[in-house]
Amino acid sequence: FKSVTFEDSLFKNCVFEDITSLNTYFRNCTFVNTTFYNTDLEQYKFTDSELINCTFFHIRTGCQISFDDDYSAYWIYFVNFLGTLAVLPGNIVSALLMDRIGRLTMLG
């Protein structure tokens, strides 16, 4: 699940296996005879939910960073490119000044 919010849902005799859920939440849901195996669904993702006869095996923990939602690789490279363009006029002016007034004067 990438970014899903389940509200007022019933999950009966379900198996959640190998699930990575970055921004997935369950609000006011009911789980009956459900098995969670190798998932990262932790207790804080079940808001006002009822778990009846559910089992959790091999809960995953760790870094939950994803660049899929708001911080895609495109935006990271685009912002870096804009920052490089902002520095370019200063580099050109300093190179021209260095040729005109000399390197030692420029250092001073």
Side-chain angles (χ1 to χ4, degrees):
F1 301 127
K2 189 186 253 185
S3 181
V4 181
T5 301
F6 294 98
E7 293 184 7
D8 301 320
S9 301
L10 171 65
F11 297 92
K12 189 173 182 179
N13 297 325
C14 295
V15 176
F16 291 89
E17 185 174 354
D18 295 326
I19 302 257
T20 302
S21 61
L22 189 65
N23 290 324
T24 299
Y25 297 99
F26 300 91
R27 293 190 181 119
N28 199 21
C29 294
T30 303
F31 296 87
V32 180
N33 296 329
T34 303
T35 302
F36 298 92
Y37 180 78
N38 197 23
T39 65
D40 64 351
L41 297 172
E42 296 184 25
Q43 193 64 31
Y44 71 92
K45 295 189 177 192
F46 301 100
T47 306
D48 297 328
S49 294
E50 187 176 0
L51 300 167
I52 301 169
N53 197 19
C54 296
T55 54
F56 290 84
F57 297 109
H58 304 287
I59 301 299
R60 271 193 252 161
T61 59
C63 182
Q64 296 293 323
I65 296 175
S66 172
F67 295 103
D68 293 337
D69 294 332
D70 296 331
Y71 304 104
S72 65
Y74 168 78
W75 286 111
I76 292 172
Y77 289 118
F78 183 70
V79 169
N80 190 14
F81 176 71
L82 288 179
T84 304
L85 282 180
V87 175
L88 190 61
N91 288 341
I92 292 172
V93 169
S94 66
L96 291 174
L97 278 176
M98 196 176 300
D99 286 341
R100 295 273 184 208
I101 63 174
R103 294 176 189 262
L104 291 176
T105 309
M106 191 80 166
L107 277 173

